[in-house]
Amino acid sequence: MAIKVHGNPLSPAAQRVLLCLAEKDIEYEFVYVDLATGQQKKEPFISINPFGQIPAFEDGDLKLFESRAITKYIAYAYADKGTPLLVEDPKKMALIQVWSEVEAQRFDAAGQKLSFEILVKPIKCWATDEALVEQLQAQLATVLDVYEKRLAQSKYLAGDNFSLADLNHVPRINNLMKTKVRALFEQRPHVWAWCADILGRPAWQKVLAGLN
Amino acid sequence: MAIKVHGNPLSPAAQRVLLCLAEKDIEYEFVYVDLATGQQKKEPFISINPFGQIPAFEDGDLKLFESRAITKYIAYAYADKGTPLLVEDPKKMALIQVWSEVEAQRFDAAGQKLSFEILVKPIKCWATDEALVEQLQAQLATVLDVYEKRLAQSKYLAGDNFSLADLNHVPRINNLMKTKVRALFEQRPHVWAWCADILGRPAWQKVLAGLN
């Protein structure tokens, strides 16, 4: 099979890539990377991602890493398949880029650390830093306040259609929904409706079914 | 004039946008935002960037924020003007996306905090956190080790041509060159040659001349 995803199915970054492939209805081979034995820090993995982090991706002779670069590649190279996730018009495309940057630089900057404190640390029997959790929740709330105003104006972040900017949020939101951080989403009606919409998409349900 | 850049000329994020416009040889109006009086947190600025941070950008009726989304828009919308910064081939484009993500998520994650500790804090008479500086330098060194291997294989990060992935690095590297962090670049010959190349580009020299 031409397309391979190297990762761990529990990683939100790997799930981001799987979701993008599901929206595009593209077949792939999943190559399990055993993080417990540090497989991601050794060859052959580091010849794909020299930073030694999952996911990594192959499409024939093309080798990629960084989940958001991978989803952009899939959306661009397979534009004609499945759900359109990018657009050609430069001004509409620019809005997808803006909200994709917001996801990476603002939303997930807080979301990733919150997941680590609330979801990962308890599994490892490490103590959660409650002061940091408070600070990160305040940071995420500020981001969600902007989203609430934005989503009152358009159904999705970059306009009236679901795009890569929304897609990139899904795995992190899915994780945070299992925690007390869920309240931050519930308190904002437009954000809450948007979450229900993007988490309810058949492609995400298919990814979740594949994980179980 | 159709294009407006709102920012402070000393901000590396604003400089990133100015450099992209210079590479594309595009005229623009610079709208000074007075950070000292908090202009970026008030209308009319926050109607362009609801997060209240510079830079912001207008092209006719299009309003954008996030410097890397702005440079992507300029590179894409003005593909036929000045220096080509993106390519159409999906596999070559994917490599530009990968190294652009590396810049944002890894290089500048360390670089921005280093600039704050070493350049901004002394101006404000705040104490630099030396332990944090050590930690960030180690983090940046790991990133530059990967760059050194990469730049031994290709002249620029995404291949044999200068691209948006290289461009986005320039203002931060320019700032760090004024500090002890310069040594991390000097110690790596391919990285050092790459820095000399991208900082020596006429478009960057033009931006610097405009700041003085």
Side-chain angles (χ1 to χ4, degrees):
Chain A
M1 199 177 293
I3 293 186
K4 290 183 188 178
V5 180
H6 302 254
N8 183 301
L10 296 179
S11 144
Q15 290 169 2
R16 191 175 284 131
V17 174
L18 300 186
L19 173 56
C20 192
L21 289 165
E23 288 285 359
K24 288 293 183 184
D25 204 16
I26 294 172
E27 300 274 308
Y28 59 90
E29 178 188 343
F30 189 82
V31 183
Y32 181 79
V33 178
D34 189 352
L35 304 180
T37 61
Q39 241 185 326
Q40 77 281 14
K41 301 290 180 194
K42 299 170 195 162
E43 291 292 358
F45 187 86
I46 58 163
S47 69
I48 311 180
N49 183 357
F51 290 101
Q53 284 181 353
I54 58 163
F57 178 90
E58 292 180 84
D59 187 355
D61 59 351
L62 180 72
K63 295 173 199 298
L64 301 178
F65 58 100
E66 293 289 345
S67 65
R68 295 169 183 94
I70 299 168
T71 59
K72 256 180 211 154
Y73 166 73
I74 297 166
Y76 184 67
Y78 296 94
D80 296 339
K81 278 199 66 120
T83 309
L85 297 170
L86 297 174
V87 291
E88 281 192 22
D89 176 74
K91 293 194 174 186
K92 288 183 181 166
M93 180 67 157
L95 295 180
I96 298 177
Q97 300 286 7
V98 165
W99 292 99
S100 296
E101 286 293 325
V102 169
E103 182 276 323
Q105 301 280 342
R106 299 176 191 272
F107 176 86
D108 211 45
Q112 185 175 23
K113 288 179 197 148
L114 273 169
S115 286
F116 182 72
E117 288 296 330
I118 306 181
L119 287 167
V120 178
K121 279 187 163 182
I123 293 169
K124 294 182 179 280
C125 298
W126 297 343
T128 294
D129 181 339
E130 294 295 347
L132 180 59
V133 168
E134 283 304 305
Q135 188 190 316
L136 291 167
Q137 284 203 105
Q139 196 179 319
L140 184 61
T142 305
V143 175
L144 293 181
D145 282 342
V146 172
Y147 281 30
E148 181 65 12
K149 278 188 194 152
R150 175 71 191 165
L151 294 166
Q153 291 161 4
S154 60
K155 190 171 176 194
Y156 297 100
L157 286 173
D160 290 329
N161 298 307
F162 179 77
S163 79
L164 197 61
D166 307 293
L167 182 148
N168 282 341
H169 287 78
V170 171
R172 182 71 61 206
I173 294 178
N174 180 69
N175 258 12
L176 293 175
M177 282 296 164
K178 303 165 193 163
T179 73
K180 65 178 178 182
V181 179
R182 175 189 180 100
L184 295 182
F185 296 92
E186 264 178 328
Q187 287 153 7
R188 294 166 173 83
H190 292 98
V191 167
W192 189 241
W194 171 73
C195 289
D197 182 312
I198 64 176
L199 292 177
R201 291 182 66 85
W204 179 241
Q205 295 305 314
K206 189 178 155 193
V207 171
L208 289 179
L211 301 184
N212 293 330
Chain B
M1 198 177 294
I3 293 186
K4 291 183 187 176
V5 180
H6 302 255
N8 183 301
L10 296 179
S11 143
Q15 290 170 1
R16 191 175 286 133
V17 174
L18 301 185
L19 172 56
C20 193
L21 290 165
E23 287 286 358
K24 288 291 182 185
D25 204 16
I26 294 171
E27 300 274 308
Y28 60 90
E29 178 188 343
F30 190 83
V31 183
Y32 181 80
V33 178
D34 189 351
L35 304 180
T37 61
Q39 242 185 323
Q40 77 281 12
K41 301 290 181 193
K42 300 170 195 162
E43 291 292 358
F45 186 87
I46 57 162
S47 69
I48 310 180
N49 183 358
F51 291 101
Q53 285 181 354
I54 56 164
F57 178 89
E58 293 180 83
D59 187 355
D61 59 351
L62 180 71
K63 295 175 199 298
L64 301 177
F65 58 100
E66 294 289 346
S67 65
R68 295 171 184 92
I70 298 169
T71 59
K72 256 181 212 152
Y73 166 74
I74 297 166
Y76 183 67
Y78 296 95
D80 296 340
K81 277 198 67 117
T83 310
L85 298 170
L86 296 174
V87 291
E88 281 191 23
D89 176 74
K91 293 193 174 187
K92 288 183 181 167
M93 179 68 157
L95 294 180
I96 299 177
Q97 299 286 7
V98 165
W99 293 97
S100 296
E101 286 292 325
V102 170
E103 182 276 323
Q105 301 279 342
R106 298 176 190 272
F107 176 86
D108 210 45
Q112 184 175 22
K113 288 180 197 147
L114 273 169
S115 287
F116 182 73
E117 289 295 330
I118 305 181
L119 288 167
V120 177
K121 279 188 163 182
I123 294 170
K124 294 183 179 280
C125 298
W126 297 343
T128 294
D129 182 339
E130 294 296 347
L132 180 60
V133 168
E134 283 304 304
Q135 188 190 316
L136 291 168
Q137 285 204 105
Q139 196 179 320
L140 184 61
T142 305
V143 176
L144 293 180
D145 283 341
V146 172
Y147 281 31
E148 181 64 11
K149 278 189 196 153
R150 174 72 191 165
L151 293 165
Q153 293 162 2
S154 61
K155 190 173 177 193
Y156 297 99
L157 287 173
D160 290 330
N161 297 307
F162 179 77
S163 78
L164 195 61
D166 307 292
L167 182 147
N168 282 340
H169 287 78
V170 170
R172 181 71 61 206
I173 293 177
N174 180 70
N175 258 13
L176 293 175
M177 283 295 166
K178 302 165 192 163
T179 72
K180 66 178 178 182
V181 178
R182 175 189 180 99
L184 295 183
F185 296 91
E186 264 178 329
Q187 288 153 6
R188 294 167 174 83
H190 292 97
V191 167
W192 189 241
W194 171 72
C195 289
D197 182 311
I198 64 177
L199 292 176
R201 291 182 67 85
W204 179 240
Q205 297 304 314
K206 190 178 156 194
V207 171
L208 289 180
L211 301 184
N212 292 329

